[in-house]
Amino acid sequence: MLLLTIWPIFGLICLGFALARTGIPGTGFWPMAERINYVLLFPALLVVNLAGAPLGDPSILRLGGATLATITLASAVFALAAWPVRPAAARFGPALQGIVRFNTYLGLAIVASVLGDGALGAAAVLLAVAVPLVNVLSVMALSYDGHSRGIVALLRSIVTNPLIVGCAVGIAISLAGTGLPWGMDSFLGFLGQASLPLGLLCVGAALRPRALGREIRVLAGISVLRLLAMPLLAFGMALIFGLGADEAAILVIFAAIPTASTAYVLTQQMGGDGRLMAGIVTAQTLAALFTIPFVLGLLGIG
């Protein structure tokens, strides 16, 4: 039953892959589609869902704490494990991103499919904590060997991130209790509705199957940590923080999904190993078709 719920999501990813490989609607479309989704459509979705989220609910606040603990603990353990090897930032950065980052479009789509649209508000709270955290960790991991961009540049990249801005605006509106005025909720809602299907198509277009031929053992190891170990850690944190059933399911879902395709762009921009990052994104996205139903079914979610 769970597979029937989520297969259309992966169907959109496969459709995006097929369209990109056949040249439809053109090679220039996909970078522009990713850009408009990143700077406009997806932030609009975050604003709408966070503006209506019950941020005063203790269970919602516990979800944010559990999210922070899960990502921070996973990052710390992996960094300590890698310390004796002293990997270059160009490779450590992609590896860490492969473990702690997540494909937001896929996560929200699965949450909506499994738990219903009403759970998107709680999911947006998770994103308000996780998005800035994983971006900071990713930049630090790609520059930790001394080639730092500087604290000012790091802070600028954080505060100007469209997703972080969208989260901040939505949280401010929710705390003010004013709601979105003058029909803005409908306007932003229409924009947000386009975000998930377009984002999933872009995920498929970004897949690089040829990258799977390199470093199979590394890709397999990182994928196991991301797709199997992370959801188990998240489930443990849900128990420790006393999360309700829906909040626990949201935390586990976002821990069980593959890493973000945008991690490849960041890796390239910061001089990291783009081939390794492309391989991680592709391997995890393909493997997730099987691991997500397994993990969610094992933990009784869905």
Side-chain angles (χ1 to χ4, degrees):
M1 185 65 177
L2 180 61
L3 185 59
L4 293 178
T5 301
I6 67 175
W7 86 257
I9 297 169
F10 286 93
L12 282 173
I13 294 175
C14 293
L15 178 59
F17 177 81
L19 290 173
R21 295 308 175 276
T22 55
I24 300 172
T27 56
F29 170 81
W30 299 106
M32 293 299 100
E34 289 181 354
R35 185 65 179 167
I36 193 172
N37 208 354
Y38 183 67
V39 303
L40 178 62
L41 303 182
F42 190 39
L45 180 67
L46 292 176
V47 170
V48 169
N49 284 291
L50 272 173
L55 297 183
D57 188 331
S59 65
I60 296 295
L61 297 178
R62 287 197 296 270
L63 174 59
T67 301
L68 178 65
T70 300
I71 296 173
T72 303
L73 180 59
S75 301
V77 170
F78 182 70
L80 288 174
W83 181 255
V85 182
R86 302 289 179 90
R91 291 182 63 81
F92 179 73
L96 183 68
Q97 290 185 88
I99 295 171
V100 302
R101 293 193 73 151
F102 49 83
N103 192 305
T104 310
Y105 309 118
L106 181 57
L108 288 175
I110 293 176
V111 166
S113 296
V114 175
L115 301 176
D117 290 340
L120 291 179
V125 173
L126 179 147
L127 296 180
V129 174
V131 168
L133 179 58
V134 297
N135 275 280
V136 170
L137 291 172
S138 298
V139 171
M140 290 174 62
L142 286 163
S143 58
Y144 86 107
D145 61 353
H147 302 291
S148 176
R149 301 170 64 190
I151 187 64
V152 175
L154 174 60
L155 291 174
R156 184 184 300 115
S157 68
I158 295 170
V159 300
T160 59
N161 184 298
L163 306 188
I164 296 175
V165 172
C167 288
V169 171
I171 290 173
I173 294 172
S174 178
L175 294 177
T178 59
L180 289 163
W182 309 309
M184 288 295 294
D185 53 342
S186 296
F187 175 72
L188 294 177
F190 288 140
L191 291 175
Q193 288 174 11
S195 176
L196 294 183
L198 181 61
L200 293 172
L201 289 172
C202 289
V203 169
L207 295 183
R208 299 290 182 268
R210 291 184 181 179
L212 295 177
R214 310 178 184 95
E215 305 184 279
I216 294 295
R217 293 177 62 183
V218 174
L219 297 180
I222 294 172
S223 296
V224 167
L225 290 175
R226 173 66 216 173
L227 300 175
L228 298 178
M230 279 294 287
L232 292 177
L233 173 61
F235 186 74
M237 286 297 173
L239 295 177
I240 292 172
F241 279 78
L243 299 186
D246 283 356
E247 287 74 24
I250 290 168
L251 182 63
V252 171
I253 286 171
F254 274 91
I257 57 179
T259 191
S261 56
T262 52
Y264 173 77
V265 177
L266 178 63
T267 300
Q268 288 286 83
Q269 289 177 345
M270 294 194 63
D273 190 334
R275 286 185 176 183
L276 176 60
M277 193 71 252
I280 292 171
V281 172
T282 302
Q284 291 187 7
T285 303
L286 296 177
L289 177 61
F290 306 97
T291 60
I292 289 176
F294 169 74
V295 168
L296 298 188
L298 178 67
L299 299 179
I301 297 171

